[in-house]
């Protein structure tokens, strides 16, 4: 039997005590809990490093919505966007992922690193010289928008429109019928379709042009797949990187500033240092929603076929069994994040540039006083302010 937690909900949104919550989930009972999502539907939370790692790679847990017995409809995306990597399994997923992943292969890392470094330098140069620095609006939020925008070939003058539409798509919808989210998706679809049309007429040295050539030249990508790849790259590449960059920056300045400054001019050591903080400061609470294709037993608890399951990546990191083992913050198995290296580059260059630009930085309020985004899937700061002497 799944255990009823006393005073804790597995899916509490916008709380600073996420580590304590997920550690309680992991250590109580079988570590498998049934709870209620904010929308009133039921879901299971599975915790612990070995459970989470194994199930992330278990073909009996599907991300395909059709496997849900409770009518889960997701974001109710239009068909042109719904056939994306987050909604696919098996051969269909492998085929599309292979096409998408080539753009993030190691042979492209050097060029992408240059783009990230130049973008960070531009943004940091625009920050105030001293006094209070709004790093969320000045650096963390615009950084992935510009980086992904450059890689995809989105016109600079339209980046703000892409950012605004994406933020609305990812936001918890406050309208009774979900119309705000649908309107934002329609806007985002129109923006993506417009850029694709432009790239067909005038191809460039960018991902969209490459994907169009793959589709048209070798008939490997359908029109919907082309749209969905662009959509997913924008949505996945914006929000998660904002959260990760802001959390690592805050942690460095609060707790590791002396060490970070010591190794600023040691690229190998600095990269290792940042990778460790990326693991420790991951914003991810739960991996993608999944549905068992058969009754699934975890630690003696049976999760029925078709029920909604969330795997607690946060509890996996907190589990002593995770020591020295693969980090699960970017996922594991078939759905491992193909943009993980690009995310790491952005965090590394952002922290390095901020410390280099400001010899004396401090934070003025405790972390728990920061506003958070109203999410239970991630722990995400809504603000990040520091003072430069």
């Amino acid at each position: 039997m799944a255990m009823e937690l006393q005073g804790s909900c597995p899916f509490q949104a916008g709380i600073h005590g996420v580590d304590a919550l997920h550690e309680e989930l992991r250590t109580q009972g079988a570590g498998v809990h049934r709870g209620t999502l904010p929308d009133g539907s039921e879901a299971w939370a599975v915790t612990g490093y070995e459970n989470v790692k194994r199930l992330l790679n278990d073909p009996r847990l599907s991300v395909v919505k059709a496997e849900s017995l409770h009518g889960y409809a997701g974001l109710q995306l239009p068909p042109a966007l719904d056939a994306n990597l987050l909604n696919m399994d098996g051969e269909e997923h492998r085929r599309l992922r292979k096409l998408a992943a080539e753009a993030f292969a190691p042979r492209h890392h050097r060029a992408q690193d240059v783009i990230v470094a130049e973008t960070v330098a531009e943004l940091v140069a625009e920050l105030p010289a001293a006094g209070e620095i709004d790093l969320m609006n000045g650096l963390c939020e615009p950084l992935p928008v510009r980086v992904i925008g450059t890689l995809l070939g989105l016109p600079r003058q339209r980046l703000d429109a892409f950012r605004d539409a994406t933020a609305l798509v990812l936001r918890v919808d406050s309208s009774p019928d979900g119309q705000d989210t649908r309107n934002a998706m329609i806007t985002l679809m129109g923006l993506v379709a417009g850029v694709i049309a432009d790239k067909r007429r005038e191809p460039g040295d960018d991902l969209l042009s490459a994907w169009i050539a793959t589709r048209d030249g070798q008939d490997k990508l359908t029109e919907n797949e082309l749209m969905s790849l662009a959509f997913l790259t924008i949505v996945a590449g914006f929000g998660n990187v904002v959260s990760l960059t802001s959390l690592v920056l805050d942690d460095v300045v609060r707790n590791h500033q002396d060490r970070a400054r010591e190794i600023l001019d040691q690229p190998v050591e600095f990269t290792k240092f940042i990778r460790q903080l990326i693991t420790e400061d991951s914003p991810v609470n739960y991996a993608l929603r999944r549905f068992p294709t058969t009754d699934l037993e975890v630690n003696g608890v049976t999760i029925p076929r078709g029920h909604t399951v969330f795997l607690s990546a946060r509890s996996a990191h907190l589990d002593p069994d995770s020591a020295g083992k693969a980090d699960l913050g970017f996922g594991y198995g078939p759905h491992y994040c193909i943009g993980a290296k690009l995310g790491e580059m952005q965090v590394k260059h952002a922290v390095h540039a901020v410390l280099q630009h400001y010899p004396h930085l401090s934070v003025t309020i405790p972390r728990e006083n920061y506003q958070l985004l109203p999410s239970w899937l991630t722990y995400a700061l809504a603000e990040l302010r520091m003072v430069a002497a």
Side-chain angles (χ1 to χ4, degrees):
M1 293 288 291
M3 184 171 181
E4 289 293 326
L5 288 181
Q6 297 180 356
S8 289
C9 165
F11 308 109
Q12 283 181 272
I15 61 168
H16 281 284
V18 285
D19 280 0
L21 170 61
H22 284 257
E23 182 66 352
E24 183 180 5
L25 292 170
R26 185 183 72 82
T27 55
Q28 285 207 24
V32 180
H33 307 281
R34 195 169 185 171
T36 304
L37 297 172
D39 66 4
S41 62
E42 286 192 338
W44 296 79
V46 176
T47 66
Y49 182 84
E50 293 301 335
N51 284 332
V52 171
K53 182 182 176 186
R54 174 173 54 83
L55 293 173
L56 282 171
N57 205 28
D58 191 327
R60 297 174 299 168
L61 268 183
S62 173
V63 298
V64 177
K65 293 178 295 184
E67 298 292 347
S68 168
L69 289 185
H70 300 130
Y72 174 67
L75 289 174
Q76 297 181 313
L77 296 170
L81 302 184
D82 204 32
N84 67 64
L85 287 168
L86 302 187
N87 295 330
M88 294 177 180
D89 281 324
E91 187 54 42
E92 184 182 26
H93 176 266
R94 280 190 293 273
R95 171 184 161 272
L96 187 56
R97 180 183 172 89
K98 183 178 179 182
L99 288 167
E102 200 285 326
F104 299 96
R107 68 188 184 90
H108 299 299
H109 288 171
R110 181 180 291 275
Q112 291 170 354
D113 195 68
V114 170
I115 288 170
V116 172
E118 291 176 348
T119 305
V120 168
E122 286 177 15
L123 290 168
V124 170
E126 295 168 3
L127 294 172
E132 185 175 85
I133 315 295
D134 182 353
L135 284 171
M136 184 63 78
N137 289 307
L139 176 62
C140 297
E141 284 196 346
L143 173 59
V145 177
R146 289 198 193 177
V147 168
I148 294 294
T150 300
L151 291 176
L152 283 175
L154 308 181
R156 177 68 71 95
Q157 66 271 23
R158 291 198 218 169
L159 287 184
D160 285 345
F162 274 98
R163 182 186 63 188
D164 293 346
T166 304
L168 285 171
V169 168
L170 294 173
R171 192 183 67 187
V172 176
D173 200 333
S174 56
S175 61
D177 58 358
Q179 193 59 44
D180 289 352
T181 299
R182 281 194 289 277
N183 288 343
M185 284 189 293
I186 291 168
T187 300
L188 190 54
M189 272 189 71
L191 288 166
V192 171
V195 176
I196 289 174
D198 291 344
K199 297 297 177 185
R200 286 193 189 284
R201 289 191 297 270
E202 294 184 38
D205 183 19
D206 53 67
L207 289 186
L208 276 178
S209 297
W211 285 336
I212 289 168
T214 297
R215 192 199 80 84
D216 291 341
Q218 301 173 39
D219 197 27
K220 287 187 176 179
L221 282 174
T222 68
E223 192 70 20
N224 282 358
E225 286 169 347
L226 181 60
M227 283 285 290
S228 78
L229 272 181
F231 170 80
L232 184 59
T233 303
I234 291 166
V235 171
F238 286 9
N240 289 340
V241 175
V242 171
S243 301
L244 183 58
T245 305
S246 57
L247 288 169
V248 172
L249 263 170
D250 184 68
D251 189 14
V252 167
V253 173
R254 284 182 194 278
N255 305 312
H256 308 285
Q257 194 169 171
D258 290 345
R259 173 61 179 157
R261 291 189 185 279
E262 280 177 11
I263 57 175
L264 269 183
D265 297 324
Q266 302 173 40
V268 174
E269 283 300 310
F270 191 79
T271 299
K272 284 171 58 179
F273 167 75
I274 291 297
R275 282 179 182 159
Q276 181 59 36
L277 290 185
I278 284 174
T279 298
E280 294 177 6
D281 295 328
S282 172
V284 179
N285 294 333
Y286 292 102
L288 290 172
R289 181 188 303 246
R290 285 165 165 80
F291 311 98
T293 57
T294 183
D295 289 356
L296 201 64
E297 186 174 309
V298 184
N299 290 1
V301 177
T302 299
I303 301 175
R305 179 179 73 86
H307 281 216
T308 297
V309 176
F310 286 99
L311 305 176
S312 169
R314 187 166 296 279
S315 75
H317 166 67
L318 295 167
D319 191 337
D321 284 348
S322 69
K325 298 178 182 176
D327 174 37
L328 306 181
F330 285 107
Y332 186 78
H335 288 278
Y336 180 79
C337 175
I338 60 176
K341 183 66 177 179
L342 184 63
E344 177 192 301
M345 291 176 196
Q346 292 176 78
V347 175
K348 179 187 71 175
H349 282 292
V351 174
H352 192 279
V354 166
L355 292 179
Q356 200 166 49
H357 193 71
Y358 297 109
H360 304 286
L361 272 177
S362 61
V363 285
T364 57
I365 63 172
R367 163 77 74 84
E368 56 268 24
N369 285 5
Y370 276 138
Q371 294 286 320
L372 298 177
L373 297 183
S375 172
W376 52 269
L377 276 169
T378 59
Y379 173 66
L381 302 180
E383 57 182 328
L384 181 64
R385 298 179 186 276
M386 296 181 185
V387 173

